[in-house]
Amino acid sequence: MKRTLFIIAAGLTLTLAGCGSTQNGYSGAHPVQRTTTNELNTIVFIDHNLNRTDITKTFMGEKVRDTVKVTLDRSGMSNTATGQLEVWTMIRNRTDYDLQIEGKALFFDANQTPLMDESMWRRVYVPANGTAIYKETSLNDRAEYFLVELREGR
Amino acid sequence: MKYLVMTAALASTMVLAGCSSTTIDNSAGRATVYEDARSPGKVQGVGVESQDIMAVTDQMMRDMLSNPQLVSREVAPRIIIDSQYFTNESSSRINKNMLTDRLRINLNRASNGRLVFVGREYADMVEKERELKRMGVVDGGTIRTTQATAGADYRLVGRIMSLDAMDTRSQERSRYHQITFELVDLELGTYVWSGMYEFQKTAQDDVIYR
């Protein structure tokens, strides 16, 4: 009886370990960022190879794995002399090779309504272990919120 | 023992049912011939491509709109933006109007009256119509009559330049582009705004640009 119980318990444990992650419905190694909502006034990596967190549930608890090729050291927003919204971020390359990052900004008015002001991809060259600045300005002074998306340059 | 086994099996089934995950379909969509012109496409070379044209004009437009000398004047300045004084000195084949037209159109839309654009390219067309009106062949229209057509305050000038390099062994080609944009004061002859966009590409250049 003891042996049967042991086999059942072991099987259950293995099964639980195998059925792994629950990242909002995803199974396997999918980054947490894939299913999170993008809030306004944030800078997000839409290329999950650049910066992501994978959480996998195991019988020992949650296993967190971070992929960090690029980080954002500082970010900010201000208004230009002409009243446009200016957003900037300092991109830090944490790899030993040069990277190209492309950024795109979307701007929204005070009611968080899209102003249909979407910039083109701006390419930023970030040297190995170095830093570069991505900056974008809105087209007019009605912009109050932004969303910046970053991806690896193609 | 049977009772114990049954309980364990039941518990196992319940736990398994609980941990079943919902799958989200994240597969690629149907095939299409359209491509996002803002990003590099399937056919890529070292020349000026759609993403470059869109990026350079977008950056220049945003830069001009954040210049107080241009957009914060009480009376909106009159500007000529066309390819008349915008030259292509590069080894890339490109229709210059793609740059100047895109810049003017997007600026005109975004400036919302803060900048006024003079269509000097179509001056002949305007003069012909004015002549017909003055001769009485056609009536005066519904808007207004003016003594003369609009004189401009600033005009766009610029250059597309390139520097080529080629590895004769690998046949790899590298091209550095420098595109300059400047606004010249049409009374004083001074530059009131300057912008520059540069990029370098390296590829096995078997792409033909038309």
Side-chain angles (χ1 to χ4, degrees):
Chain A
M1 190 187 101
K2 266 188 183 172
R3 198 177 154 196
T4 316
L5 277 174
F6 180 76
I7 291 167
I8 291 167
L12 182 61
T13 310
L14 282 166
T15 313
L16 280 172
C19 89
S21 73
T22 51
Q23 291 175 30
N24 296 336
Y26 279 97
S27 58
H30 284 279
V32 173
Q33 286 87 340
R34 193 186 287 280
T35 46
T36 51
T37 308
N38 288 342
E39 298 297 329
L40 291 185
N41 287 352
T42 54
I43 298 161
V44 294
F45 291 98
I46 58 167
D47 191 341
H48 296 135
N49 289 328
L50 290 175
N51 186 311
R52 74 166 190 258
T53 307
D54 292 302
I55 301 173
T56 312
K57 280 191 176 173
T58 66
F59 69 100
M60 297 288 282
E62 281 188 344
K63 186 182 151 197
V64 180
R65 184 166 162 261
D66 287 319
T67 304
V68 182
K69 283 167 99 176
V70 167
T71 53
L72 304 175
D73 281 4
R74 282 181 184 80
S75 303
M77 60 191 269
S78 57
N79 286 96
T80 64
T82 48
Q84 290 153 281
L85 186 66
E86 185 177 71
V87 53
W88 60 270
T89 186
M90 204 165 122
I91 303 168
R92 169 94 179 272
N93 181 355
R94 294 188 179 271
T95 69
D96 291 328
Y97 46 89
D98 297 348
L99 278 174
Q100 294 183 31
I101 307 293
E102 286 183 321
K104 175 168 73 81
L106 295 102
F107 294 97
F108 303 81
D109 69 8
N111 300 319
Q112 304 194 351
T113 307
L115 287 167
M116 300 314 287
D117 177 359
E118 182 179 347
S119 74
M120 293 296 135
W121 290 104
R122 188 188 284 263
R123 195 176 287 263
V124 177
Y125 300 89
V126 200
N129 299 302
T131 309
I133 306 287
Y134 168 83
K135 193 160 78 169
E136 198 61 84
T137 50
S138 68
L139 291 175
N140 55 48
D141 56 4
R142 289 196 294 141
E144 297 219 358
Y145 294 94
F146 69 84
L147 175 67
V148 170
E149 295 181 334
L150 299 174
R151 71 179 184 187
E152 190 161 0
R154 295 173 190 170
Chain B
M1 193 188 106
K2 266 189 184 173
Y3 180 73
L4 265 171
V5 171
M6 270 181 69
T7 312
L10 189 66
S12 166
T13 312
M14 285 175 76
V15 172
L16 280 173
C19 90
S20 66
S21 61
T22 321
T23 50
I24 297 169
D25 186 8
N26 195 24
S27 57
R30 59 181 289 188
T32 174
V33 292
Y34 285 95
E35 286 186 325
D36 183 0
R38 297 172 302 176
S39 299
K42 276 184 193 170
V43 181
Q44 293 179 61
V46 297
V48 180
E49 291 166 344
S50 65
Q51 71 276 8
D52 303 314
I53 292 169
M54 294 173 94
V56 62
T57 50
D58 190 68
Q59 282 187 32
M60 293 305 123
M61 172 182 65
R62 287 173 195 275
D63 199 50
M64 284 169 89
L65 288 173
S66 57
N67 187 322
Q69 266 189 292
L70 290 177
V71 292
S72 298
R73 283 180 39 171
E74 270 186 39
V75 181
R78 293 177 189 164
I79 303 174
I80 301 172
I81 293 185
D82 58 26
S83 58
Q84 183 76 41
Y85 296 96
F86 190 77
T87 53
N88 181 14
E89 298 172 8
S90 75
S91 44
S92 290
R93 189 187 165 96
I94 182 171
N95 185 343
K96 299 175 295 176
N97 290 331
M98 291 183 84
L99 287 158
T100 53
D101 283 5
R102 193 169 195 280
L103 181 62
R104 185 187 61 247
I105 290 165
N106 283 342
L107 263 175
N108 202 1
R109 287 170 60 88
S111 67
N112 210 12
R114 287 178 291 168
L115 302 171
V116 173
F117 293 90
V118 178
R120 190 53 49 80
E121 199 179 347
Y122 303 107
D124 282 358
M125 177 186 77
V126 178
E127 283 306 324
K128 274 181 194 163
E129 186 65 18
R130 283 173 65 88
E131 206 179 310
L132 290 174
K133 285 178 183 172
R134 302 297 180 273
M135 287 165 64
V137 179
V138 296
D139 69 9
T142 60
I143 311 172
R144 66 200 163 315
T145 52
T146 56
Q147 274 201 318
T149 53
D153 299 310
Y154 309 127
R155 184 160 198 161
L156 180 89
V157 298
R159 290 190 188 101
I160 308 169
M161 294 166 281
S162 69
L163 184 68
D164 283 50
M166 192 176 137
D167 186 329
T168 48
R169 278 179 300 177
S170 67
Q171 297 295 308
E172 265 194 325
R173 206 175 287 244
S174 176
R175 191 173 295 165
Y176 161 69
H177 278 100
Q178 189 183 77
I179 309 177
T180 59
F181 295 83
E182 288 180 293
L183 280 183
V184 174
D185 185 320
L186 291 173
E187 278 293 327
L188 276 174
T190 52
Y191 293 108
V192 290
W193 169 86
S194 299
M196 187 164 65
Y197 186 88
E198 14 181 28
F199 57 93
Q200 181 164 325
K201 292 179 179 179
T202 302
Q204 207 100 27
D205 194 15
D206 53 356
V207 176
I208 299 165
Y209 295 96
R210 292 185 185 181

